[in-house]
Amino acid sequence: MVAPIYIIAVALGLAFLLGLLKSSSTNLGSLLMLAGLAFIAFVSGQWLYEFLINGRATEMIFTAGFKPPFSINLRMGMQEALLTTMINAAGLLSGLYLIDTLKKTGINSMTVLLVFVMSLNVIVMTRDIFNLFVFLEISSIATAGLVLLSSKGNAFQAGMKYLIATGIISGLFLIGIIFSYLYAGSLNIDELNAAHIMDIKGGAIAIFIIYVSVILELKPFPANGWGIDVYTAAKPGFSALISSGTATAGLYVAYKLLPLGGETWLPYFTIIGAITFIGSNLMGTRQQNPNRLLGYSSISQVGLLLMILGLSNQLGDNTLFIAFSILISHYAAKAGLFWLSGIVKSQNLEGWAVLRKQPFMLFLFGTFIFALIGFPPFPSFFGKWQLIMELATQENYLWMTLILTGSFIEAIYLFKWLGFAIKLDVPSNIVMKFEWNKYLPVYLMALTLYVIGFYVSPMVEGGAFINYIPLLFVLALFALDFLPVFVKNTISIAGIIYYMVDLFSQLENDLMRQIFAVIFLGGAVLTLMAGYNKKGTRAGFYPMALMMFAGLTGIIEANSMLEFFFSWEIMTAGSYFLIIRGKRSMPHGYSYMLFSIGGAYALLFGFALAYASGLDTTIAALGHITQLTTLAYTLLAVGFMTKTASLGLHIWLPGAHGEAESDVSPMVSAILLKAGVFGLMLLFLYMGTGTEGGDKLLYVLGWVGALTTLVGNLGAVFQEDAKRLLAYSSIGQLGYILFAVSIMTQLGWLAGFTYTINHFMFKAILFLVIGGIVVKLGTHNMYEMGGMIKKMPFSFIAVLISIIVIGGIPPLSGFAGKWLFYHAIIQKGWYFQGAVIFFAGIIAFLYLFKLIHSVFLGQLKDNHRNMKEISPWILIPSYLLIIGIMIFSAFPQKILQPIGEMLSVYFPESLHWEGTKAYTSLGYWDGTTIMIVVMTAFILLLGWLVLMSKKIKKVEQFNIVYAAERPFRPETTHVSYNIYAGYKKAVGFLVTPVVEIFWDSMSALLFDFAGWLRRIYSGNMQNYALHVVLFIVVFYLIALGGL
Amino acid sequence: MDYSITKFLWTLLGLFIVLNWGMLMSSTMRRIGARVSGRFGIPWYQPWIDLTKLYSLKSQVSHGAMFFLGPVFRLMGGVGIFLFLPIIYGSDHWSNYSFSGDLILILYFQFFGMLGMALGAGEGGHPHSAIGISRGLSQFTTIEVPMTLAVISLAIQYQTLSISDIVAAQQGGFTTWTLWTNPLATAAGMLSLLGAFGHSPFNLVKAPNEIPIGPPTEYHGVFLGVLRTNGAILHVAEAALFMNLFFGGATNWVELIVKTFLIYFWSVFVGTVFPRFRIEQSVRWFLKVPTIIGIIAIIIFL
Amino acid sequence: MEYIILISGFLLVLIGLWGILSQKNLIKIILGFTVFNTGINIVMVTVGYVKGKTAPILDVISPEEALTSIVDPVPQALVLTAIVIGLGVTALMLVYALKLYQDKKTLDINNFKDLKW
Amino acid sequence: MEKENKNIPLVKTKTFINPENEKRSVTAPDGSIIEIDPIKDYFCQDRPKEYKVRSGAVEKFLNWARAESLWVLGFGTGCGSIEIPPLVTPRFDMYRYGVQMRPTPRQSNVFIISGYLSVKTLKRAIRSYEQMPSPKYIIALGSCTINGGMYWDSYNTINRLDHYMPVDVYIAGCMPRPEALLAGFAKLKELIKAGKAEKANEYVRNLDWYKANQKKIIKDWNMPDYNW
């Protein structure tokens, strides 16, 4: 065992030794420096290992052989070991990363770096407040020194600002130290903490001064302009160290000093933390410079951690876990991002598209972003989960709201950035050069995130049960990404089928989950089959698709809320990448992600309330929510409704589904949307009827569903883009489902299930076929198509059957839904909602006709003459689904009866079967007979026409009665564009994009506010100093001045 | 559930009667229209002659498979409504195949023919066809609003959606008809019927002299014959539906003939008086007066 | 007497702050900063001073007497350290001022606003 | 009856193609180039075939039905078209005789060439005629259709309709009154009932002769010869 004191000794010794070297021997110097950094990293790592594995007790190190208060003492415990290891690792990697720069600037800078890392170590370890001050100062000076690594003019300015501000702060800290010494008679932190300075007259001032300076060191919003500039101006390699190392150390200082003031001071930490978290994130939304953006993000994360410290008395034993898991995510992600920024060398976010030249780096970039937002499987996910759960048990709703709001704002800019990197044109003027010393640190940090995430997950209640097997499969596909599509597709399909078989054995008695398992995994197989017609490797597609399906499976399997939420987020992440693959998908993927994250936070809030109601982590906890019951259910419903794209939350869908790739659209539309449906069904089953708030919620949701249907269907009517039309149609169909399940009767739910199954089948067919056609014809615009029936008869039949189902025309299965709907609505008494629903249902015919007419009928365009039928790999799954539709249509009783029986557990039975005939109190319906009657009659009538027909002359497209003239061109004869102009004139006001306008103005408001607010960062260092002073004054007035 | 041959033959007979009555009704209506303008009009047997001629034309062109199937779908739509409608109350023979579904089935079976016709005409490739269909569908969405409201109102009133039960509830004399027991629903339904029959002012699907003659522009000969056959059946079947819903149904053929005639006459009567709407006027109109009446028809039951 | 020193110490702190916040010339700001530091040092020394006792230097008095006769040595030690650190910081600031001057040929801080927002 | 080409002097004709209808090429989505011939590609190129003329009781009945259900194409060519609208008024009321107007050639049997026929209109008339389903009939109204009438030496109208289209019934006069038209219909009915109105077949049989005649005066064919 190497004593921790060697960390200081070796670092300082080396620093002096470096000073003795000739200034030209930079190679030797850098080797020595790296060796030193490696050594101290080894020492702290060794201690960490001891604590973790051997359970060693905390060690106190007394310098000069005296005990406190007569000597400075250091402590090496679990926490210190962990933090110093983190700091030293960051230090080592940064040193490695910066090695070229350091060599260029000379040996002195290496010395400073060593001293800097050492000072951070001491800050963490020391138990002496004055020693703390000294090393804080040393770290400040070292920081200011290292900023000079960047020889740009603005680095000088930034360093100057930093020096002035920290000078004021440290002066203040000194006064605080001397006064607390005066009152407590000791400089030892433990003794200070035990001294109850608060109780002494005037002691509060001492504590105030210490706290304000400690907090100011953490760069609280808005008194942090000086800190941001350093992040911006310093070399990214060093910014990484500031962000990960200094912040870590600074937070630990705050943590160490927390007991000094006791609980009365905690709320101030929380408030300042919250302000910093939200304020900095707001600033982040307006940043164009990646480093500055990362600076704001760093500060916001520190704010969040400060909040957590402030809430430590409420979080109890979990504080450290929460703080650590968020800290480590911030640490690794921010360091990684800063280092990446040094590799990319772009002064604006748009330049990051260059990452696409090196897909693995893009992957790492995504990893860091997702880790920052708190997606699984990264530690921050678990930390945030635990944080929110604990806050909810303490009924601390305000802080929950603020944390989630802040996180959301953070997502706004981080995902914008990620979207830029994934979708913008690769800039030609930026070159990414591979340098192992720069790439290795990035790799390691990403690896850290995954490892730690896996490591911390069992520490959360319920986290031990998370099923990582699907994720491992995804990982395997990542590894196999170089293989051609055919192989990967086969592997994926085989894997899914295997897993489905396995899953079914677990779901034996749960019909609802079985149905959704068929939709999710069966749908996955069918839609993946369409992938066989793609060529090349299709890089990145399969891992992401499988990630989405893994998430979907996880939702079905989940027993606890954590597992559910975990899978939900995995699914969201996977689908985001799938959606953003489309050519013009960037803005749509972005809005999808934002709505998803917003929805996920609503879910999180709801889950937290459920957890807090009975400290029950299973999903069954949704059944007995006692805290803010109505709000909880509303939030959960809203959360799920972001996925079902209900009214108000639907604006992401048309673009996301419309612009996605041809086989991604069916995945996200036919399958992914059902995740929201599954969630809603689960929620409503647990919620049940009869509660006052619940019933009101259901009533509102019923209206929302009805209006969603209307808006979705009307929106589809006026689309010219085939896939957008289908996307709007999805909104409408999901509105039906929301409405149906909101009815909360057996009939309503049967209708809901019918719609779910139907929508899965027909929307998969439609998106597959139309997607295939869109690709083949090279246009989304329906008015540029036409006449495809002759070229693609099989596609036409598939689409025809689908639209018959959508329209609810007997004898196909769509009618089952309509019939159940009418009966459910009249039984329930929701007449007007019902009327809206049926109005919308008939509007569906408008867009269905437009779709099939514009694409398949009418005039064939010149450039499509040589078209062939679309790929059989698209048609095969479509026709398999058609077989499904036909079976469902001919034997609805076979499927609906078991569902009805399952539902009769939850709802009074309102539908019974006699053979193939269904009865309600209102009427009856016999799908099988209808099928027989219609088929027979149709065949007879067809026979009649054939019998009466004469020899038929088949004519060409322009052989039409055209006032005895010829049409000029097909384009001028094909009636499709704005075909419902008259309708638009009459009811077009209903499609005013009110919701879009609302969200647009909301985001404009946010950005304008951020833009207005950031004017405080005027760039003038005196202003920044003034901010510091004002911060002190305001804090004083609030904390002690009675404000 | 009776799938026997006898049942089939009875139904076929019923269909035959309805077809002929439909043709007679249409010629009568045209004669009435002629008399209004001071003419004699067509002979009463003209529809039969026209039909014979259409079926006997000697050349036929086709734009494709869907063009060919369109009229079949259309005819199936009309025949289907007839098949699922209990045409004579209390009669086993004339209840057709109404045991397979209730009112909702008929409401949605209307779309069967519409869709098929739309697709068939669409494949014809004539611009007027598409324009006519787009108008027809647009108008139909709003026609169905008062109709839906009326149906919901009836369902609340009678607590059933079975047509036979609705008719049964109206038995017992003139005053027990829905017309008197639920006049608002009847009003909404009868206003929506104006659109469903497509006479002036709502004849903008075919819109003679404007987009001559809308969807069937390309249809001729046998196709047109099938369409005309359907027209005759459909008019009677739809009128019979309204008769069942609002006017006490019919217990025998005579009653059916009188009632369907009067119901159909209502739309012809309005048609001879009013000129054609533009599409947006029609859409707006249906969303105003008839819809409001329909809403009130529900509100009074709340 | 101690109070006068204490108050004057605080006064120096305030004067220093005023200098930092109001002067436009970088050198003057740094001067303000040193004034600020000096004030703090004075405050620290004053806090540790006990009336009527001597300096904590052991070669004048015996260790036994020291416990009762010397002032608290810790603040003085602190001040010494603080002065050293202040020196370091001031030196670094002056270097920065020099660099800034070389960069823009001016010492007016209003010219150093390249980084903002 | 075989027509002879003598009646018309042989003149070398030059065809004129509207620039809009010249051959062009478009790019398919997959990048290949497709040649478009706007005159031919969009149209069915096949020649029409004669339909079978049956006899017997059934055919007699059907002929009666055809005679009693004359659907007239609403296409007015010359000044005679003004004489057609009165037919639907109470005074003449042609509906009584089973004569009705149809807006599209596809649904019409009878084509009334109502007066002088300019070359430009002739082209349209031929097309409309060809688009009507067989059996179809032409009633030529007024002197102009017989010999050009007052336009006999016009540079731009035809003189003898039956050089271009097979005429079943001529109604002479300038202009014939609606009553004459009714008489024409009666005559046509007689012919149909007698099975003598099979001019559609004659048109098909002598298609080359008709086409040659038509092409002599119509220079800008922008469609194939026969319009389905």
Side-chain angles (χ1 to χ4, degrees), chain A residues 276-353:
Chain A
T276 307
F277 185 45
I278 292 183
S280 297
N281 278 333
L282 263 179
M283 298 296 105
T285 56
R286 294 298 297 254
Q287 296 312 314
Q288 291 302 313
N289 180 317
N291 290 340
R292 199 168 175 83
L293 181 146
L294 284 172
Y296 279 114
S297 171
S298 293
I299 287 167
S300 78
Q301 291 285 334
V302 171
L304 176 61
L305 286 159
L306 200 58
M307 258 182 112
I308 293 168
L309 291 185
L311 292 166
S312 58
N313 59 336
Q314 304 184 10
L315 302 174
D317 300 339
N318 286 313
T319 313
L320 284 182
F321 170 75
I322 295 168
F324 170 69
S325 46
I326 291 178
L327 176 66
I328 187 98
S329 305
H330 161 69
Y331 160 83
K334 215 45 75 56
L337 283 172
F338 269 117
W339 285 330
L340 261 182
S341 149
I343 294 171
V344 171
K345 293 195 206 83
S346 166
Q347 282 307 305
N348 52 27
L349 300 180
E350 286 82 355
W352 281 60

Side-chain angles (χ1 to χ4, degrees), chain A residues 790 800 810 819 822-823 839 842 846 852 858-859 917 922 924 926 929 944 950 953 955 959-961 983 985, chain B residues 1 3 55 60-63 98-100 102 119 122 124-126 137 141 144-145 148 160-161 218 284:
Chain A
K790 301 214 170 49
L800 175 63
W819 185 83
Y822 250 103
H823 288 249
F839 178 40
I842 300 160
L846 299 188
I852 198 164
Q859 299 288 339
K917 196 166 175 180
L922 291 167
Y924 50 88
D926 186 342
T929 313
W944 166 252
K950 305 297 172 315
K953 180 74 214 162
V955 295
N959 284 111
I960 54 175
V961 175
Y983 202 60
K985 220 168 171 181
Chain B
M1 269 163 256
Y3 296 120
Y55 279 120
Q60 198 176 354
V61 301
S62 164
H63 288 274
S98 64
F99 53 77
S100 38
D102 49 26
L119 298 182
H126 200 287
L137 289 171
T141 58
E144 282 296 291
V145 174
T148 307
T160 179
L161 282 166
E218 282 293 309
R284 283 187 195 131

Side-chain angles (χ1 to χ4, degrees), chain A residues 831-992:
Chain A
Y831 307 121
F832 295 115
Q833 296 93 314
V836 173
I837 280 272
F838 292 119
F839 178 40
I842 300 160
I843 288 173
F845 281 96
L846 299 188
Y847 70 74
L848 293 176
F849 172 72
K850 181 167 186 175
L851 176 73
I852 198 164
H853 170 81
S854 306
V855 178
F856 290 102
L857 307 174
Q859 299 288 339
L860 179 70
K861 300 295 170 3
D862 294 341
N863 52 347
H864 298 151
R865 273 190 194 172
N866 299 336
M867 273 306 146
K868 298 272 166 10
E869 181 62 91
I870 54 173
S871 157
W873 288 114
I874 296 175
L875 287 175
I876 290 169
S878 306
Y879 274 79
L880 289 176
L881 285 165
I882 286 177
I883 293 172
I885 287 177
M886 284 305 175
I887 293 172
F888 190 21
S889 306
F891 310 106
Q893 165 253 357
K894 290 268 185 285
I895 293 159
L896 291 180
Q897 197 168 4
I899 298 177
E901 279 163 16
M902 173 194 81
L903 293 175
S904 61
V905 179
Y906 306 101
F907 307 109
E909 189 144 32
S910 46
L911 178 93
H912 71 274
W913 293 85
E914 283 175 19
T916 56
K917 196 166 175 180
Y919 285 94
T920 71
S921 61
L922 291 167
Y924 50 88
W925 159 66
D926 186 342
T928 313
T929 313
I930 294 173
M931 193 70 156
I932 295 169
V933 169
V934 172
M935 282 299 154
T936 316
F938 188 85
I939 288 166
L940 288 176
L941 294 176
L942 181 60
W944 166 252
L945 179 61
V946 172
L947 183 75
M948 298 307 292
S949 282
K950 305 297 172 315
K951 199 157 187 279
I952 292 178
K953 180 74 214 162
K954 186 95 172 39
V955 295
E956 296 289 325
Q957 64 184 112
F958 274 1
N959 284 111
I960 54 175
V961 175
Y962 202 72
E965 250 305 334
R966 55 163 287 153
F968 172 41
R969 280 186 186 191
E971 287 83 352
T972 54
T973 316
H974 188 50
V975 178
S976 169
Y977 185 79
N978 201 8
I979 187 171
Y980 297 116
Y983 202 60
K984 197 170 199 170
K985 220 168 171 181
V987 299
F989 67 93
L990 287 174
V991 289
T992 321

Side-chain angles (χ1 to χ4, degrees), chain A residues 526-548:
Chain A
L526 289 172
T527 45
L528 279 176
M529 272 169 85
Y532 276 123
N533 74 335
K534 303 263 176 183
K535 291 183 182 62
T537 58
R538 240 187 152 191
F541 172 79
Y542 286 96
M544 289 315 166
L546 280 235
M547 191 160 146
M548 182 179 89

